[in-house]
């Protein structure tokens, strides 16, 4: 599974690439789906589908474990938003940088981090991605260029600015995708970052996951301009709005945005229109919205069902096959949870590690001595 | 040895480190074309060009975060705050990001960078531009807090801070910028976390940092005329604190005065006196005395401003009381 999620969806090609690699075959001859001129191979589609479904089942398992009090603290699930996680990682390169808020499980999984390590982190285990020191809100994977996992709303935005600055400084060709919520975009630091990113033409895509709510506050109760992609206008940052419930559309448009940033034209602002099915965190019964509204998104626009329908229509799979796939993934997630739970808690010595890179011998209290 | 100003010493440290390591860059308000609000970065733009000496908009939180992100990708940012009063707007990035990034990421990401600028009380600029906030920041695990009291320390400590692999909060003193003193040329590094005994004495220990070190040395001169030999200890690094040097001095003198410009409540002096109590209780002949700034916002009027700050006379008096010669 880790491998599958880590794959950069290599099966995806556009017709131009076919000729570049010398495969003289048109998209129609190979099985797949053509979306707005872009061809997605059967393998690529399965991979996107499986990744989204995996994230959903993983989140459900996390919710269960939270209910059993095995996961503590805050736990923010991303059910409903899987197309954004998966489409984004299909669009971005492995070398590109990424950082987000506390709603980070789906993003780090889509990035290809070992799901057992993610689950172990949720459970506060030694083998967690950050050794059990971060928990749900602080997932990091430096190997995958995934830089958090931030619990302070909007804080990752100036940090993302710094990653983009670094790429500009080193001319390393990377793009930073800096993710925030529809609530997060109201932080002042976001506009400070927009300004500098545009001023210095830094290679950054600011991605707003507009899931319509910031905790219990709906978008229109918090934002004077509810078309969030327009929030960059006074900084001359071009903005686009993408359907975040359609993984193919999201992948395609996100690729264009990333290309824009990579080409030296400066930052871009992307608003992904999406929805969170669950409450804000595990303690939220979500009484501020109607059942009908949730149902409208869940049954009318679900990103997984949508892709399944597209694939069935294209003759690439069947309802039964998807049912079987779901069973397999649920089993896999259960095994992951079991393996993660079997891990020990972090060693007590971990309390005092990772504070300094250059500790100073004998200085109090950093040596851990207590009187 | 060359005699140069505190300001020039800082400038030399940055120029040398930028020459040595091209990952080091300087960013802040007016650091480039204006040559620094206090001229600390004089000439650096000409030497290193606009890619490495960067003027920012007035946007402290934003460029502090930029520095954090850049440091996480292997660059070595030196982020200048025109003064530390303005860094209050950037505290989220310092306290919630830089200080805990290494811990939160299980050791994967660290933030090797320097936040520097003028701190402490300035002259006649009123309450918002005149305050010492090092105790706020020194309270946070993960940060190192450095405060030089003379030109040589300014150079040696800043070079060490830029090379350090952690986030260093480097608080300069606005009033000290023009002070002249001998400063070694070239490679001159003072290790972080080491206090310095600025004057040896056997009767009373005076612990003082930043501008107050100079006050303590002046007080020591007066005390010497009165037959009292004061030992002046400058911690230089506030966090991690070199407790050993302070305690060893108190064990020798059996009494101590702790001086700071900042407010008394939960100040650096409170911390140091608690540590002396913990480690050297049996060696103390009298309670530790704190000399601090008064518990008021800084007033503008010249007479009131003077009253709000610790004075040399205050230190002399405290030292006499501490060693039972009042
Ligand atoms: C600076 C700050 N203020 C408040 C909070 C509490 N808080 C946590 S999440 C949240 C809502 C954020 O909503 P949004 O940005 O839309 O992200 P979403 O949860 O929808 O993914 C708030 C107010 C916080 N963590 N940080
Ligand atoms: Mg939201």
């Amino acid at each position: 599974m880790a491998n599958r999620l880590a794959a950069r969806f290599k099966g995806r090609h556009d017709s131009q690439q076919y000729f570049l690699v010398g495969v003289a075959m048109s998209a129609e001859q190979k099985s797949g789906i053509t979306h707005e001129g872009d061809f997605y191979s059967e393998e690529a589609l399965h991979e996107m589908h499986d990744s989204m479904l995996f994230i959903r089942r993983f989140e459900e398992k996390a919710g269960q474990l939270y209910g059993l009090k095995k996961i503590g603290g805050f736990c923010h699930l991303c059910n409903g938003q899987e197309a954004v996680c998966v489409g984004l990682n299909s669009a971005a390169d492995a070398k590109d940088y990424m950082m987000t808020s506390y709603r980070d499980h789906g993003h780090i999984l889509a990035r290809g981090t070992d799901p057992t390590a993610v689950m172990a982190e949720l459970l506060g285990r030694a083998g967690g991605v950050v050794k059990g020191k971060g928990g749900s809100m602080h997932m990091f994977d430096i190997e995958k260029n995934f830089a958090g996992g931030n619990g302070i709303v909007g804080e990752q935005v100036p940090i993302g600015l710094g990653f983009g600055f670094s790429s500009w400084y080193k001319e390393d060709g990377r793009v930073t995708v800096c993710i925030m919520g529809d609530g997060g975009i109201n932080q002042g630091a976001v506009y400070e970052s927009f300004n500098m990113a545009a001023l210095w033409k830094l290679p950054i895509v600011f991605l707003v996951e507009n899931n319509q709510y910031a905790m219990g506050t709906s978008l229109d109760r918090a934002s004077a301009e509810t078309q969030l992609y327009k929030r960059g206008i006074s900084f001359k940052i071009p903005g686009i709005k993408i359907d975040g419930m359609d993984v193919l559309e999201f992948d395609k448009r996100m690729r264009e945005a990333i290309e824009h940033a990579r080409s030296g034209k400066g930052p871009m602002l992307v608003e992904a229109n999406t929805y969170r099915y669950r409450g804000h965190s595990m303690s939220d019964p979500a009484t501020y919205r109607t059942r009908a509204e949730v149902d409208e998104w869940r049954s009318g626009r679900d990103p997984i069902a949508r892709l399944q329908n597209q694939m069935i229509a294209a003759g690439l799979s069947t309802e039964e096959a998807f049912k079987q796939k779901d069973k397999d993934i649920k089993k896999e997630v259960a095994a992951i949870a079991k393996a993660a739970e079997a891990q020990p808690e972090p060693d007590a010595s971990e309390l005092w590690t990772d504070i300094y890179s250059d500790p100073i011998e004998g200085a109090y209290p950093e040596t851990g001595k207590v009187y | 040895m060359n005699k140069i100003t505190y300001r020039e010493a800082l400038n030399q440290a940055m120029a040398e480190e930028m020459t040595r390591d091209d990952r080091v860059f300087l960013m802040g308000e007016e650091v480039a074309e204006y040559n620094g609000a206090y001229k600390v970065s004089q000439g650096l733009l000409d030497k290193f060009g606009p890619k490495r000496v960067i003027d920012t908009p007035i946007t402290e939180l934003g460029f502090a975060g930029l520095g954090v992100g850049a440091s996480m990708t292997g660059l070595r940012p030196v982020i200048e705050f025109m003064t530390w009063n303005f860094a209050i707007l950037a505290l989220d990035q310092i306290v919630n990001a830089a200080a805990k990034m290494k811990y939160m990421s299980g050791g994967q990401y660290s933030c090797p960078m320097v936040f520097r600028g003028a701190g402490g009380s300035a002259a006649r600029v009123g309450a918002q531009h005149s305050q010492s906030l090092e105790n706020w920041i020194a309270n946070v695990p993960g940060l190192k807090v450095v405060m030089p009291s003379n030109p040589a320390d300014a150079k040696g400590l800043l070079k060490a801070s830029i090379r350090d692999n952690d986030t260093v909060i480097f608080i300069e003193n606005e009033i000290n910028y023009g002070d002249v003193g001998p400063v070694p040329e070239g490679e001159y590094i003072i290790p972080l976390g080491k206090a310095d005994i600025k004057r040896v004495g056997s009767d009373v220990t005076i612990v003082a940092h930043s501008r107050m070190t100079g006050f303590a040395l002046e007080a020591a001169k007066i005390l010497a005329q009165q037959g009292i030999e004061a030992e002046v200890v400058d911690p230089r690094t506030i966090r991690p604190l070199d407790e050993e040097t302070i305690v060893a001095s108190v064990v020798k003198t059996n009494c101590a005065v702790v001086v700071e410009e900042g407010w008394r409540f939960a100040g650096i002096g409170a911390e140091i006196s608690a540590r002396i109590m913990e480690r050297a209780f049996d060696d103390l002949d009298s309670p530790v005395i704190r000399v601090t700034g008064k518990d008021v916002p800084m007033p503008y009027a010249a007479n009131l401003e003077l009253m709000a700050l610790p004075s040399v006379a205050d230190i002399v008096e405290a030292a006499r009381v501490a060693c039972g010669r009042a």
Side-chain angles (χ1 to χ4, degrees):
Chain A
M1 172 53 70
N3 204 25
R4 186 182 77 214
L5 288 170
R8 315 305 315 154
F9 304 116
K10 289 197 185 64
R12 187 200 69 217
H13 297 288
D14 53 39
S15 46
Q16 207 182 1
Q17 270 174 314
Y18 275 126
F19 284 104
L20 280 178
V21 295
V23 183
M25 181 197 292
S26 77
E28 293 75 50
Q29 285 171 281
K30 212 172 178 270
S31 50
I33 292 176
T34 301
H35 175 79
E36 306 240 338
D38 274 359
F39 179 71
Y40 291 84
S41 74
E42 190 175 344
E43 303 92 284
L45 293 164
H46 273 294
E47 213 161 296
M48 285 175 153
H49 168 269
D50 294 358
S51 296
M52 288 196 292
L53 191 55
F54 182 85
I55 291 170
R56 176 147 321 160
R57 297 302 175 228
F58 184 97
E59 291 290 64
E60 281 167 3
K61 179 55 82 179
Q64 270 172 26
L65 293 171
Y66 192 92
L68 295 169
K69 296 198 160 51
K70 290 180 176 172
I71 294 173
F74 291 135
C75 184
H76 310 85
L77 307 180
C78 72
N79 304 44
Q81 304 179 204
E82 298 89 350
V84 177
C85 306
V86 170
L88 163 60
N89 277 281
S90 157
D93 279 357
K95 70 174 183 201
D96 293 338
Y97 294 125
M98 225 167 264
M99 62 284 302
T100 186
S101 69
Y102 45 82
R103 201 176 298 285
D104 54 0
H105 315 165
H107 285 297
I108 198 167
L109 289 171
R111 201 72 184 134
T113 296
D114 173 15
T116 308
V118 177
M119 191 59 91
E121 190 57 43
L122 292 172
L123 292 159
R125 294 300 201 267
V129 267
V130 297
K131 306 196 281 189
K133 289 173 147 180
S136 165
M137 298 190 286
H138 305 303
M139 300 278 179
F140 291 79
D141 188 345
I142 196 167
E143 306 258 292
K144 304 280 186 223
N145 292 309
F146 189 83
N150 273 281
I152 306 295
V153 169
E155 180 172 68
Q156 71 277 17
V157 182
I159 295 175
L161 176 76
F163 276 73
F165 174 87
S166 182
S167 291
W168 169 83
Y169 192 93
K170 299 178 190 164
E171 298 175 21
D172 61 11
R174 298 177 200 237
V175 169
T176 296
V177 180
C178 184
I179 309 165
M180 71 200 87
D182 52 286
I185 197 173
N186 291 317
Q187 287 284 23
V190 171
Y191 301 93
E192 300 189 24
S193 304
F194 281 2
N195 186 39
M196 284 184 274
L199 191 61
W200 299 324
K201 289 201 170 1
L202 304 182
I204 303 173
V205 176
F206 296 103
L207 168 59
V208 187
E209 286 180 298
N210 177 4
N211 59 9
Q212 321 301 326
Y213 291 88
M215 292 183 71
T217 306
S218 60
L219 180 62
D220 60 335
R221 289 205 300 125
S223 288
E225 172 55 88
T226 53
Q227 299 296 320
L228 299 178
Y229 71 95
K230 293 183 182 168
R231 287 285 187 92
I233 288 177
S234 58
F235 305 96
K236 300 186 174 173
I237 299 180
I240 55 169
K241 185 169 186 162
I242 315 181
D243 182 355
M245 306 301 276
D246 177 346
V247 72
L248 301 186
E249 175 70 2
F250 192 78
D251 166 62
K252 177 183 165 62
R253 305 289 301 284
M254 194 67 201
R255 251 187 296 145
E256 290 164 8
I258 290 174
E259 187 42 46
H260 172 98
R262 207 184 308 282
S263 69
K265 292 191 192 120
M268 184 123 181
L269 174 58
V270 173
E271 175 184 354
N273 204 28
T274 182
Y275 200 77
R276 73 166 150 71
Y277 293 170
R278 307 287 298 255
H280 166 73
S281 65
M282 294 306 299
S283 57
D284 171 21
T287 48
Y288 42 82
R289 56 189 193 184
T290 62
R291 186 79 238 163
E293 179 187 301
V294 180
D295 284 346
E296 187 195 321
W297 285 84
R298 263 189 124 123
S299 45
R301 305 179 62 171
D302 184 74
I304 298 173
R306 179 184 199 134
L307 185 60
Q308 287 183 351
N309 290 338
Q310 284 172 300
M311 289 172 72
I312 292 169
L316 302 175
S317 190
T318 60
E319 214 159 302
E320 294 71 52
F322 280 131
K323 276 199 183 126
Q324 185 55 46
K325 175 71 79 184
D326 195 16
K327 273 190 198 148
D328 295 346
I329 287 179
K330 278 182 179 155
K331 243 192 231 159
E332 197 178 349
V333 169
I336 285 167
K338 208 168 157 207
E341 244 190 290
Q343 289 182 14
E345 289 189 308
D347 191 82
S349 64
E350 283 294 344
L351 184 64
W352 291 101
T353 62
D354 304 321
I355 297 165
Y356 288 140
S357 298
D358 294 336
I360 292 170
E361 217 27 62
Y364 174 99
E366 292 75 12
T367 52
K369 57 184 168 157
V370 192
Y371 291 83
Chain B
M1 213 184 292
N2 255 359
K3 287 199 162 185
I4 59 173
T5 61
Y6 184 100
R7 164 188 292 117
E8 288 161 340
L10 294 165
N11 181 284
Q12 230 178 56
M14 286 195 285
E16 287 175 16
E17 292 309 299
M18 289 179 75
T19 304
R20 181 186 62 81
D21 183 350
D22 61 14
R23 298 171 304 169
V24 180
F25 67 91
L26 172 67
M27 172 175 274
E29 291 157 18
E30 310 291 354
V31 297
E33 301 205 1
Y34 194 82
N35 283 302
Y38 297 98
K39 305 300 168 211
V40 174
S41 55
Q42 184 91 46
L44 295 183
L45 173 64
D46 286 346
K47 241 183 236 153
F48 299 101
K51 189 164 182 174
R52 299 185 62 199
V53 183
I54 304 153
D55 280 328
T56 65
I58 304 158
T59 183
E60 280 81 7
L61 179 55
F63 66 74
L66 187 154
V68 171
S71 74
M72 289 168 74
T73 63
L75 296 183
R76 295 282 177 151
V78 177
I79 300 294
E80 176 175 314
F81 293 119
M82 200 178 278
T83 79
W84 277 94
N85 304 291
F86 316 139
I88 296 175
L89 281 83
L91 275 185
D92 175 51
Q93 287 293 334
I94 298 173
V95 174
N96 277 321
K100 27 184 95 57
M101 196 57 73
K102 191 173 174 75
Y103 201 82
M104 283 196 314
S105 69
Q108 295 182 60
Y109 283 98
S110 54
C111 299
M113 64 183 300
V114 176
F115 288 109
R116 52 157 287 272
S121 53
R124 310 293 310 281
V125 290
Q128 293 179 329
H129 283 72
S130 229
Q131 53 195 332
S132 302
L133 305 172
E134 57 267 28
N135 58 325
W136 293 20
I137 265 189
N139 189 239
V140 183
L143 298 175
K144 291 173 178 169
V145 182
V146 175
M147 298 184 73
S149 65
N150 67 35
D153 286 0
K155 175 171 176 179
L157 290 168
L158 185 53
K159 282 173 72 85
S161 299
I162 293 171
R163 291 184 193 194
D164 198 87
N165 290 308
D166 295 304
T167 303
V168 179
I169 305 300
F170 194 92
I171 306 179
E172 296 150 17
N173 189 286
E174 192 173 325
I175 291 177
N176 288 144
Y177 277 140
D179 290 0
V180 176
V183 176
E185 269 171 78
E187 278 304 87
Y188 177 60
I189 313 261
I190 298 173
L192 303 189
K194 296 278 170 270
D196 190 34
I197 298 182
K198 297 291 186 200
R199 183 185 193 279
V200 177
S202 52
D203 297 330
V204 56
T205 297
I206 305 177
V207 184
H209 64 275
S210 192
R211 182 169 168 232
M212 289 300 114
T213 310
F215 279 40
L217 286 168
E218 266 188 60
K221 265 190 221 156
I222 295 168
L223 288 163
Q225 287 160 9
Q226 302 171 2
I228 299 171
E229 291 301 328
E231 180 145 299
V232 176
V233 181
D234 176 2
R236 299 197 292 200
T237 301
I238 304 297
R239 172 189 271 267
L241 190 70
D242 180 358
E243 190 178 283
E244 299 304 323
T245 301
I246 295 168
V247 168
S249 176
V250 175
V251 166
K252 182 171 76 172
T253 63
N254 308 111
C255 58
V257 172
V258 186
V259 191
E260 72 185 306
E261 220 178 78
W263 297 304
R264 194 176 188 83
F265 190 95
I268 300 294
E271 178 64 29
I272 292 177
S273 79
R275 293 193 189 194
I276 292 171
M277 184 272 289
E278 287 168 349
R279 293 279 310 277
F281 186 76
D282 292 337
D283 295 286
L284 282 173
D285 289 343
S286 61
V288 175
I289 298 180
R290 285 184 287 158
V291 177
T292 69
K294 304 299 182 295
D295 206 14
V296 297
M298 186 62 77
Y300 166 72
N303 63 329
L304 297 180
E305 185 183 60
L306 262 182
M307 287 162 61
L309 289 166
S311 68
V312 172
D314 291 340
I315 302 171
V316 169
E317 196 195 326
R320 292 184 62 95
V321 172
C323 65
R325 310 263 290 271

